[in-house]
Amino acid sequence: MALHAAERPTRILVDLDRIAGNLGAIRAHAGVPVMAIVKANAYGHGLVPVALHLQAQGVEHLGVAFPEEGIALRRAGITVPILVLGGIYGPQVGQYLAHELQITVSSVEKLRQVEAAAAALGRRATVHLKVDTGMERIGVHAWSAGPLIEGAVASPWITLAGIYSHLACADDPASPMTALQLERFEAACAHFGRIGAPVPPRHIANSAGILNFPETRLDLVRPGILLYGVLPGSECRPSVPVRPAMSLVSRVVYFKVVRAGHTVGYGGTWAPEVDTRVVTVPIGYGDGYPRALSSRGKVLIRGREYPIVGRVCMDQFMVDIGRDSAWNEDEVVLIGRQGDAVLRAEDVAAAAGMIPYEVLVGLNDRIPREYRALPDAE
Ligand SMILES: *Cc1c(COP(=O)(O)O)cnc(C)c1O
């Protein structure tokens, strides 16, 4: 967006070397190639800069949700294989082929659609077959995958680059669902052997699978949130040493004393019991900072944690600093580290009643991204 006046005090700091470090840690842990998932603006970290950095690290594969994201990557000079994970929308198939995007094919009907587009353009389509093992989202049911596998193997217009499924409950180490899904997936893949065809790379593990279920690694893993140093759920084992790559910062732009009983913000939902010092921070739900943090979120100022008071507005919110002092232009950390204090995306999500994915992905383009090293813990 053109709005990025260089001076906006609110910004997202992204440490690309931490993402590279996380990629290395995941690779070392999983021991198989990685398809780095960069959909939804690389989980808020910036699609193109993250993908270019991952490419420079020799990432084997990238994954996006929609062809538009893949096309943006191709236009930015990304040459590594890109799989579009979402279900195909017929009229877009030609676009996949024109931009050398790998296609998710989840039924015989979709296979025929892809073949027709490939024949019309005179170029082969590179395809991953999608098997549903328990999400009931897209994918041929594992028990009826035979005809799809046979059709893809036999087609002169299809290069088969993979077969995959998606885990529904891997964030819960105690759930029996993951074992069931893996069993169904392996049963579907066994069909290649029955028809004497080579098995393409099989993949099923998302971040939670990588962390909690080592047996799901198969031939390729598909980490998203873990690449960015954030755990997918509170039950997940921190079995891979990753570090958060994002910090969200702003600055104090106003300071005042609010008298006891005087309400703060829309709806007058909060008032101090005694006179207190309140500062204003210039970021709000118009930036994707969750309004659900109204009177529930926390921020860091001068290395200490303070509560958000009253409702988060579209462009600003207020913070009660009690009897402490803060000055205009003091740094405010909304996600990240300040001195010894830390606010993780997971903490922000918990306060908002959200999952960390929503918090990261929600931060929109009104906030400039700045790529630089984040300070280490002292
Ligand atoms: C988003 C997505 C992933 C990555 O999920 P994380 O939980 O962020 O690791 C992997 N596979 C598919 C099919 C996805 O849609």
Side-chain angles (χ1 to χ4, degrees):
M1 256 173 41
L3 257 170
H4 293 171
E7 306 302 329
R8 185 170 181 193
T10 301
R11 49 197 51 227
I12 290 171
L13 310 177
V14 177
D15 188 335
L16 292 171
D17 287 331
R18 287 204 187 174
I19 296 177
N22 295 340
L23 172 68
I26 293 166
R27 265 189 184 142
H29 179 83
V32 293
V34 172
M35 177 187 293
I37 306 300
V38 293
K39 62 190 176 187
N41 202 23
Y43 292 56
H45 294 67
L47 174 66
V48 166
V50 168
L52 285 172
H53 199 70
L54 288 167
Q55 174 167 270
Q57 308 301 313
V59 75
E60 290 84 357
H61 223 119
L62 294 171
V64 295
F66 301 125
E68 294 79 2
E69 296 172 317
I71 292 167
L73 292 177
R74 288 286 181 245
R75 294 203 166 123
I78 297 287
T79 55
V80 300
I82 300 171
L83 172 62
V84 179
L85 300 160
I88 52 178
Y89 171 59
Q92 288 185 310
V93 175
Q95 294 278 303
Y96 286 79
L97 298 172
H99 297 278
E100 290 191 44
L101 303 175
Q102 299 186 345
I103 310 176
T104 294
V105 169
S106 50
S107 69
V108 172
E109 185 204 337
K110 300 274 186 187
L111 180 70
R112 297 297 169 231
Q113 222 169 20
V114 171
E115 282 183 301
L121 288 166
R123 55 162 88 179
R124 286 167 77 98
T126 303
V127 158
H128 292 236
L129 302 180
K130 182 74 187 281
V131 180
D132 189 297
T133 56
M135 271 295 275
E136 300 293 350
R137 191 168 64 176
I138 58 167
V140 63
H141 283 129
W143 47 87
S144 52
L148 176 61
I149 290 173
E150 285 167 29
V153 165
S155 175
W157 292 108
I158 301 292
T159 298
L160 208 46
I163 181 165
Y164 75 107
S165 189
H166 191 56
L167 297 172
C169 304
D171 55 333
D172 176 5
S175 170
M177 181 67 148
T178 301
L180 178 63
Q181 288 194 265
L182 195 56
E183 190 186 307
R184 287 172 174 164
F185 184 58
E186 283 172 345
C189 293
H191 198 70
F192 286 95
R194 280 197 289 277
I195 62 172
V199 189
R202 301 157 306 151
H203 47 108
I204 194 169
N206 54 6
S207 297
I210 294 166
L211 291 168
N212 294 332
F213 296 94
E215 65 278 20
T216 62
R217 289 168 201 166
L218 305 180
D219 305 319
L220 182 77
V221 292
R222 302 193 308 266
I225 201 158
L226 195 60
L227 261 184
Y228 308 99
V230 176
L231 295 183
S234 52
E235 304 288 293
C236 285
R237 302 182 179 130
S239 52
V240 184
V242 294
R243 299 201 298 165
M246 177 196 285
S247 179
L248 173 62
V249 300
S250 187
R251 293 197 181 265
V252 171
V253 292
Y254 203 79
F255 171 97
K256 81 189 78 67
V257 172
V258 175
R259 290 191 181 163
H262 287 234
T263 63
V264 170
Y266 286 122
T269 57
W270 182 88
E273 285 169 11
V274 295
D275 291 3
T276 192
R277 296 168 175 179
V278 169
V279 297
T280 302
V281 183
I283 168 173
Y285 66 81
D287 299 294
Y289 189 69
R291 187 168 174 276
L293 292 169
S294 299
S295 290
R296 294 173 69 177
K298 303 262 194 291
V299 301
L300 309 176
I301 302 172
R302 300 185 160 216
R304 296 187 60 176
E305 199 175 273
Y306 297 104
I308 294 172
V309 290
R311 290 190 184 148
V312 172
C313 311
M314 189 185 293
D315 317 300
Q316 38 203 333
F317 63 78
M318 282 65 84
V319 174
D320 179 15
I321 60 166
R323 304 201 58 77
D324 291 347
S325 45
W327 295 87
N328 278 323
E329 293 163 36
D330 273 355
E331 183 192 62
V332 182
V333 170
L334 295 82
I335 298 174
R337 166 177 292 278
Q338 193 184 53
D340 291 334
V342 180
L343 266 180
R344 299 171 312 146
E346 292 93 326
D347 304 326
V348 174
M354 298 165 83
I355 57 173
Y357 296 78
E358 286 178 276
V359 172
L360 297 177
V361 163
L363 299 172
N364 66 34
D365 267 0
R366 195 166 72 160
I367 312 174
R369 269 90 178 149
E370 186 179 319
Y371 295 90
R372 64 155 151 111
L374 293 174
D376 284 319
E378 280 95 65

